């Protein structure tokens, strides 16, 4: 019998339904990998951060890691690759809450919601400046599943979308596609620069001060990917120097964001505590993808969804 | 020569361009109708509130009133109708900023932006509850140009839209159309109840306490039409009793909202000072519509855009 260890926390109803649906598999539910003891685990379902190299060495029967998040950058990918272990994630399920979060922040700034709320606290009835999203331009770094959903929604609002990827290939939800090599030419035209890039060797620290100096003074920079896209100090200086109008950050170089970070107190920075992918439907959707892949596992067909290429990192 | 009086405040560049574009017309620009003195005005371009019955009696040559707003409820419509004066408005230009405002508020609540902002002020890094818009249901009272644009955008987010009008006829942006007579049947299913209804004899005070009691406890009620749709006291009680989760109000029974109104201090109410239609592009767009209609006026074709039926009031 195949042993599956689930350290991804799920409710009793979901545990029961997994066990009933897949009687060929023995499920173990534990809070940590250590709790599970010396089980001969073949399948591991995890948020990802508990799988260290050391633990991986102990799990000699491991054949498949299903990561119940999108980011796999904290995992021992090299070793997983060497051992030929299948790694899958749930990246698709993030696209709805993340794209809704990005649009929420953009529209809120455009339609002056923070000012409306501040005025309400003071019982002030006054008109304020507000702008329209229609007719603006967005540069989306990482036009994959999540970026494409952001692009699709922005297009519905009449925004011109430019996808920026390594290859510059054609992506859904984009009016135009460019490669990273051409980003400097496009930065001066963009009203929104939105990153949903994963953390890989190629994306680490790729945005530098010179990029911010090319942006419009009215531009909004949004990082919803990973905090190692750009040094915190670069963002702080760009905001302090007025090189851009606003930053909305859901990810940070160090998380939780340290109390001494100047970003907390900057009026032109929104600090979001890595919550853009949260959704009341998260577990349900993650398990749907696990279920589908588990059926593939049990069948002869080996066409898994959301397979991570361990060398590439996404 | 035709005399046009423009009390709608516009910048010098727009004044010049009107005068140059239409040499057949003598334009007078004044802050108020009284300022303009006893001119023989044929065309009046106004925000609307300065045209009283008394002044209308003095403007014996008046043939056309172009109202540079959507609402005409404060105008002497009956008398305008009796005299056969053409009344046009600019309702179409509101749809973009208003729909963006409605979506901004909905997404902001869903993605917990007010909590994120409050936490940032306290330097608190904590996850919070947030939900998805996708899969929810919206009931849109007034599925015209503005309501249709709201519906179109909501549909892009995967929201099921129900348009509620007098006739129940088919409207753009709606998955389903119902008449007012059936509203009670649909209220218990709606996650968002959004009114963009104008103020007419048929829409005044049509929402009553019993309607709110039919709504979901998790429902959000939004009034972006006119304040005389529902008594303020009815909204206050529905919020106090937890019959709905939140109200977002851009219009009020009395504006500005009096300081003593309990709505200001209610945590589950957003008080927006009638700003949802504001846009940096407002004047430009209003004048575009005026230009088009002025060309119609000077031609033989009498197919004006945005004609108000004075008896119906919209």
């Amino acid at each position: 019998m195949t042993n599956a260890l689930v350290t991804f926390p799920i409710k009793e109803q979901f545990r029961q339904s997994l066990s009933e649906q897949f009687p060929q598999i023995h499920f173990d539910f534990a809070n940590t990998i250590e709790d599970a003891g010396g089980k001969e685990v073949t399948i591991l379902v995890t948020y990802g951060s508990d799988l260290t190299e050391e633990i991986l060495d102990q799990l000699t029967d491991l054949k498949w890691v299903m990561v119940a998040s999108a980011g796999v950058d904290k995992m021992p990918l090299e070793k997983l690759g060497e051992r030929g272990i299948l790694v899958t994630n749930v990246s698709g399920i993030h696209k709805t809450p993340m794209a809704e979060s990005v649009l929420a922040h953009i529209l809120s700034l455009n339609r002056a919601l923070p000012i409306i709320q501040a005025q309400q606290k003071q019982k002030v009835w006054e008109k304020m400046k507000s702008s329209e999203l229609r007719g603006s331009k967005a540069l989306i770094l990482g036009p994959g599943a999540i970026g494409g959903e952001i692009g699709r929604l922005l297009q519905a609002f009449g925004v011109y979308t430019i996808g920026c990827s390594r290859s510059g290939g054609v992506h859904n939800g984009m009016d135009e596609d460019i490669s990273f090599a051409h980003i400097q030419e496009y930065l001066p035209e963009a009203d929104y620069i939105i990153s949903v890039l994963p953390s890989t060797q190629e994306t680490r620290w790729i945005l530098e001060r010179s990029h911010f100096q090319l942006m419009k003074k009215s531009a909004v920079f949004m990082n919803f990917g990973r905090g190692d896209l750009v040094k915190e100090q670069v963002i702080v200086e760009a905001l302090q120097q007025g090189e851009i109008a606003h930053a909305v950050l859901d990810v940070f170089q160090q998380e939780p964001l340290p109390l001494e970070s100047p970003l907390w107190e900057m009026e032109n920075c929104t600090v979001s505590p890595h919550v853009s992918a949260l959704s009341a439907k998260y577990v349900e959707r993650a398990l749907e993808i696990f279920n589908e892949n588990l059926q593939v596992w049990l069948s002869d067909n080996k066409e898994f969804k959301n397979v991570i290429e361990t060398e590439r990192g996404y």
Side-chain angles (χ1 to χ4, degrees), chain A:
Chain A
M1 190 178 252
T2 304
N3 285 315
L5 171 62
V6 181
T7 65
F8 170 56
I10 60 175
K11 285 188 187 151
E12 185 55 32
Q13 65 175 108
F14 291 124
R15 298 179 179 199
Q16 275 184 12
S17 109
L18 272 177
S19 301
E20 282 165 22
Q21 209 183 333
F22 300 101
Q24 317 92 315
I25 293 170
H26 172 77
F27 287 96
D28 233 321
F29 302 95
N31 291 329
T32 68
I33 294 184
E34 288 90 341
D35 284 357
K39 281 277 179 330
E40 288 153 344
V41 173
T42 307
I43 302 170
L44 175 66
V45 186
T46 168
Y47 261 133
S49 55
D50 53 0
L51 186 62
T52 61
E53 282 207 25
E54 203 186 344
I55 285 174
L56 182 55
D57 284 340
Q58 294 165 23
L59 302 176
T60 50
D61 284 2
L62 194 65
K63 295 278 183 294
W64 173 21
V65 182
M66 136 109 181
V67 188
S69 85
V72 292
D73 44 297
K74 287 167 191 155
M75 298 185 60
L77 287 181
E78 206 179 330
K79 193 159 253 182
L80 285 162
E82 280 166 21
R83 283 183 45 194
I85 292 171
L86 171 69
V87 181
T88 63
N89 72 355
V90 292
S91 67
I93 69 163
H94 294 282
K95 70 177 190 180
T96 294
M98 284 193 68
E100 290 187 8
S101 283
V102 168
L103 268 291
H105 283 283
I106 290 178
L107 286 164
S108 173
L109 288 172
N110 257 289
R111 305 309 298 156
L113 264 54
I115 299 171
I116 290 172
Q117 284 153 19
Q119 288 192 174
Q120 180 176 354
K121 287 207 176 75
Q122 307 292 323
K123 300 191 185 179
V124 168
W125 180 279
E126 246 172 45
K127 304 223 179 291
M128 70 286 294
K129 275 200 179 170
S130 63
S131 47
E132 285 179 25
L133 186 51
R134 177 167 292 278
S136 56
K137 264 190 193 178
L139 186 61
I140 297 166
L141 313 185
I146 297 164
E149 178 67 359
I150 294 169
R152 185 186 71 79
L153 289 172
L154 285 172
Q155 285 178 330
F157 281 89
V159 176
Y160 187 84
T161 57
I162 303 152
C164 182
S165 61
R166 192 173 53 165
S167 68
V170 172
H171 291 85
N172 286 335
M174 303 301 148
D175 291 306
E176 200 174 337
D177 291 273
I178 63 166
S179 71
F180 283 130
H182 291 279
I183 191 168
Q184 275 91 344
E185 300 156 39
Y186 284 79
L187 286 172
E189 296 295 318
D191 299 293
Y192 301 93
I193 298 94
I194 306 160
S195 174
V196 285
L197 286 169
S199 173
T200 70
Q201 288 202 334
E202 282 162 325
T203 63
R204 241 160 254 155
W205 317 124
I206 53 164
L207 282 195
E208 296 177 356
R209 186 70 188 284
S210 59
H211 293 100
F212 285 84
Q213 285 164 340
L214 285 169
M215 294 180 196
K216 281 186 180 181
K217 285 193 197 313
S218 58
V220 176
F221 170 71
M222 308 179 78
N223 192 359
F224 283 67
R226 282 292 179 263
D228 57 6
L229 176 79
V230 48
K231 300 268 182 206
E232 179 179 315
Q233 193 52 31
V234 169
I235 303 175
V236 169
E237 282 168 15
L239 288 170
Q240 279 172 343
Q241 298 300 318
E243 286 160 11
I244 59 170
H246 200 98
V248 183
L249 309 173
D250 190 52
V251 293
F252 300 86
Q253 195 174 332
Q254 193 185 334
E255 295 184 12
L257 182 64
L259 283 174
E260 58 271 23
S261 167
L263 293 171
W264 283 112
E265 292 186 9
M266 297 183 84
E267 290 227 340
N268 50 0
C269 182
T270 303
V271 173
S272 170
H274 208 143
V275 293
S276 69
L278 290 190
S279 161
K281 293 176 184 162
Y282 192 96
V283 173
E284 199 179 323
R285 294 233 176 106
L287 290 177
E288 273 169 22
I289 294 178
F290 179 50
N291 266 16
E292 280 183 57
N293 272 340
L294 206 46
Q295 278 160 20
V296 174
W297 175 269
L298 295 171
S299 74
D300 293 332
N301 150 18
K302 293 295 168 205
E303 292 181 10
F304 291 95
K305 279 179 82 171
N306 290 306
V307 175
I308 297 292
E309 292 182 27
T310 51
E311 278 181 39
R312 204 174 58 163
Y314 63 94

